[in-house]
């Protein structure tokens, strides 16, 4: 069975077509992510609600509700393998996710709208869950040199990941302003239990928080992750978020065989 090693802005995944197969996804996630060092594992399955279904697992074998960069990569996988056309809908545990092929490498998905968005969950730290059940994210501003200070921030972000203020456990996203509607991001991801080079739902959650804080006049955020740049377009009425579009690069890095 063919397994693709893919990445979206550096966020990397092992991906396979599981339609018609009876597979132990949890065991495969642990085995394949250990083999490649990937952040997560994804499998395409049949769906009666969408073009196909996404099963997403973190590197430690825990199931995730959804993954933004993973969704962009699975859309490319589906298009490249003739499973779907240039416009598609993906069934995820967090809800239906429309996707679109822009170019060979560039894909856009519509992230699930927030089911929870609390701008002051823990002091100045915001909390968002995209979808229902939602992918949980803590979002906070950092005023230093975010990427240069990453190693010194690891333990602080690890503690926040397990903080009781975030009952589901949280992916922790720190952002640093580098220009108008432009930030650097650093994400500590649950299930990986360390930094990842990018986080799509984390970027979307950060954009949603900044939008409701009135800090994105155009609704557009350019987010530089250590693995690449993502762009988010947030729609709403200034008081609620009604759409989140996530766009960025995808790459097929290597092919493995089970």
């Amino acid at each position: 069975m063919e397994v693709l090693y893919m990445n979206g802005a550096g966020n990397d995944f092992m991906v396979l077509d599981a339609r018609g197969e009876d597979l132990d996804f949890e065991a495969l996630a642990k085995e394949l992510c250990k083999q490649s060092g990937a952040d997560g594992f994804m499998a395409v399955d049949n769906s009666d609600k969408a073009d196909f279904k996404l099963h997403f697992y973190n590197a430690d074998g825990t199931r995730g509700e959804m993954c933004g960069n993973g969704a962009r990569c699975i859309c490319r996988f589906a298009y490249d393998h003739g499973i779907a056309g240039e416009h598609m809908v993906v069934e995820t545990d967090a809800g239906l996710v429309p996707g679109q092929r822009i170019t060979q490498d560039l894909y856009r998905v519509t992230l699930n709208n927030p089911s929870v968005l609390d701008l002051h969950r823990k002091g100045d730290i915001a909390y968002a869950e995209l979808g229902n059940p939602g992918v949980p994210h803590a979002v906070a501003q950092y005023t230093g040199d975010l990427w240069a200070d990453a190693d010194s921030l690891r333990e602080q972000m690890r503690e926040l990941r397990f903080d009781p203020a975030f009952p589901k456990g949280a992916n922790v996203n720190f952002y640093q302003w580098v220009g108008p509607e432009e930030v650097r991001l650093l994400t500590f991801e649950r299930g990986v239990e360390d930094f990842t080079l990018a986080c799509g739902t984390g970027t979307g959650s950060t954009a949603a928080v900044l939008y409701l804080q009135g800090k994105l006049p155009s609704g557009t955020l350019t987010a530089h992750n250590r693995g690449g740049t993502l762009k988010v377009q947030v729609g709403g009425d200034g008081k609620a978020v009604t759409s989140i579009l996530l766009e960025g690069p995808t790459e097929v890095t290597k092919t493995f065989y089970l």
Side-chain angles (χ1 to χ4, degrees):
M1 178 179 289
E2 181 185 79
V3 184
L4 294 190
Y5 180 32
M6 304 182 70
N7 82 82
N11 202 185
D12 52 357
F13 314 97
M14 298 293 276
V15 188
L16 56 79
D17 183 356
R19 292 175 300 162
E21 303 287 346
D22 183 15
L23 302 173
D24 184 340
F25 293 144
E26 180 179 343
L28 277 172
K30 292 178 180 178
E31 175 187 345
L32 292 174
C33 291
K34 182 177 180 180
Q35 177 182 347
S36 64
D39 298 323
F41 164 82
M42 299 189 294
V44 171
D45 204 350
N46 294 313
S47 171
D48 58 5
K49 300 177 181 178
D51 291 291
F52 57 92
K53 183 173 183 177
L54 165 63
H55 297 283
F56 178 80
Y57 286 78
N58 296 302
D60 65 358
T62 57
R63 189 173 178 101
E65 299 89 350
M66 213 280 282
C67 174
N69 287 320
R72 293 189 309 97
C73 286
I74 209 75
C75 285
R76 175 170 180 173
F77 182 94
Y79 177 82
D80 288 350
H81 288 75
I83 300 169
E86 293 192 345
H87 294 265
M88 63 203 82
V89 178
V90 187
E91 179 187 350
T92 77
D93 289 359
L96 298 180
V97 174
Q100 180 182 355
R101 179 182 187 263
I102 308 300
T103 66
Q104 178 179 339
D105 300 325
L106 192 66
Y107 278 76
R108 177 190 300 138
V109 294
T110 302
L111 298 178
N112 307 106
N113 288 329
S115 56
V116 179
L117 213 171
D118 183 348
L119 296 181
H120 300 284
R121 174 58 62 91
K122 183 179 175 68
D124 290 333
I125 301 176
Y127 178 70
E129 291 188 18
L130 300 189
N132 189 14
V135 185
H137 287 276
V139 178
Q141 183 177 357
Y142 184 71
T143 56
D145 189 332
L146 185 59
W147 293 351
D149 296 345
D151 287 342
S152 65
L153 292 171
R154 181 178 276 106
E155 288 309 311
Q156 178 186 351
M157 296 177 78
R158 190 194 311 275
E159 288 178 8
L160 284 173
R161 178 258 184 272
F162 292 103
D163 194 285
F166 316 118
K168 295 176 63 173
N171 301 287
V172 181
N173 308 273
F174 282 8
Y175 67 89
Q176 170 197 353
W177 288 107
V178 294
E181 300 186 299
E182 185 175 4
V183 299
R184 288 194 186 116
L185 276 177
L186 181 67
T187 300
F188 188 97
E189 287 207 36
R190 61 174 189 159
V192 178
E193 306 309 335
D194 205 345
F195 296 130
T196 52
L197 292 178
C199 179
T201 52
T203 303
S205 294
T206 301
V209 167
L210 295 176
Y211 174 77
L212 288 191
Q213 290 176 336
K215 297 177 181 177
L216 294 181
S218 73
T220 302
L221 179 68
T222 299
H224 303 290
N225 295 267
R226 291 197 290 181
T229 297
L230 298 171
K231 292 195 174 183
V232 182
Q233 181 68 49
V234 181
D237 60 5
K239 296 180 180 179
V241 172
T242 57
S243 68
I244 306 174
L245 301 179
L246 174 71
E247 182 178 302
T250 64
E251 182 181 16
V252 179
T253 311
K254 191 175 181 181
T255 302
F256 293 81
Y257 293 92
L258 290 178

